[in-house]
Amino acid sequence: MSLLTSLFTGASGMGAHGAAIGVVGDNIANVSTIGFKRTRAGFADVLGGTLGSQRLGAGVRLGSVDTQFEQGSVQQTGGMLDVAIRGHGMFVVSGQHDGQTGQYYTRDGRLQLDNTGYLVDPRGLRVQGYAIDSAGAMATSISDLQLTGITSPPVATTTADLTLRLDSGAQTTPLAAFDPLNPGTTSNYATSATVYDSLGAPHKVDLYFRAQGGGAWEWHAMVDGGELTGGTAGVATEIATGTMTFDANGALDTETPGVSSANFLNAAPGQAIAFDFGDAITTDGGTGRAGTTQPAGANAVVGLAIDGHGAGQLIDLHIADDGTIDGAFDNGDTRSLGRLALATFTDEQGLARAGDGLFTQTATSGQALIDAAATGGRGSISAGALEGSNVELGDELVTMIAYQRAFQANVKTVTTADEMLADVAQIKR
């Protein structure tokens, strides 16, 4: 190996370690970048001439810069659409970035809604996932997720379960026969509930209960006639009636089917609402205790469970561990709207950095393997959190010191070779 070769060997070491310091510097610069994955410099020796049967070394080069995909720390933010991946996988986003339209992959979970209601990342790329329809069926292929403009359709009331305590003392002095025109004075107890027609319009239903003696009761469901086809406003109209009996222990023994037929204005005619008061012993084969009972004491309503609701607008979103995005509506309804997709790769380190925390697939990484979050070894989702950079600042600083010392040593190689060449040049004198 000549002295001139020694100069170039030292210079290669200076160049390689100078570039490696740049890799460390990039890591340090991105220590606070959400979802950033640190890179690691890989060195490769360079071969020169031969000496006998052995190849001589001619220095070093920066052989590779490998991205390290280990998990970053998960930081709680409380943001409604902030999400972090715990485990393997990357979010799939689609759109134009740096003039190139395509599909990209990222661990940056700072999601938001754009002005058209699509779920996007901080760069405006649309997040990909599986849409879920109003029947709860999930799509089989990924697409852009649009979450605003979704409404909860009205649902007509079909069942009304009521739990009451009816005063056993009322059985000693039964009132006169129930009078629909004077329900308040011909009943022992009254309560009300709200039901919905097929258009989602609410209707107040007044329920009147009259003791008949011997543990028997009758009940009547009344609606203002102005809300019914052919009815008269201000005149209570009956839409359902039935009876209940209680045993000597106050347990519900029998109840007649309380199915109504209501013709609400402009809605579907003949709406049937099944009124149920508990697990009657004879009628239902129950205990008679898990519902309406007849103890001694004041009348009281204990519970109402009535289905149906009006139309609703989306007011809140929640993302579950499996990536399911649930919407809450102002009518009290909740349903799933979509599910986040995650991509994995045969060789993650083969992905190409595209800037802004984005990656693209290459022949080395292989095709993206895309499926729903928390399936097939893919990570789960932490809502209200973000994944921080996986850069360990202390480790990077130690690595930088090592590279700096190596750079200085290579400088020494160059200066030493230079001094030796200067000595050679002095021989002529």
Side-chain angles (χ1 to χ4, degrees), residues 275-330:
F275 290 87
D276 187 80
F277 294 91
D279 63 335
I281 298 171
T282 301
T283 304
D284 303 320
T287 65
R289 294 293 182 182
T292 299
T293 57
Q294 182 191 247
N299 297 304
V301 59
V302 177
L304 292 174
I306 301 177
D307 65 359
H309 53 71
Q313 298 295 320
L314 185 67
I315 58 173
D316 196 12
L317 295 170
H318 175 264
I319 302 177
D321 287 353
D322 65 356
T324 299
I325 305 172
D326 295 319
F329 298 84
D330 59 9

Side-chain angles (χ1 to χ4, degrees), residues 359-384:
F359 294 86
T360 57
Q361 69 182 30
T362 66
T364 303
S365 70
Q367 292 285 327
L369 306 174
I370 301 174
D371 209 331
T375 64
R378 293 167 186 81
S380 58
I381 302 297
S382 285

Side-chain angles (χ1 to χ4, degrees), residues 115-143:
N115 58 3
T116 58
Y118 284 95
L119 192 64
V120 298
D121 74 352
R123 295 152 290 272
L125 300 176
R126 291 182 176 177
V127 178
Q128 303 296 292
Y130 299 90
I132 299 176
D133 63 22
S134 58
M138 190 172 74
T140 57
S141 59
I142 62 172
S143 63

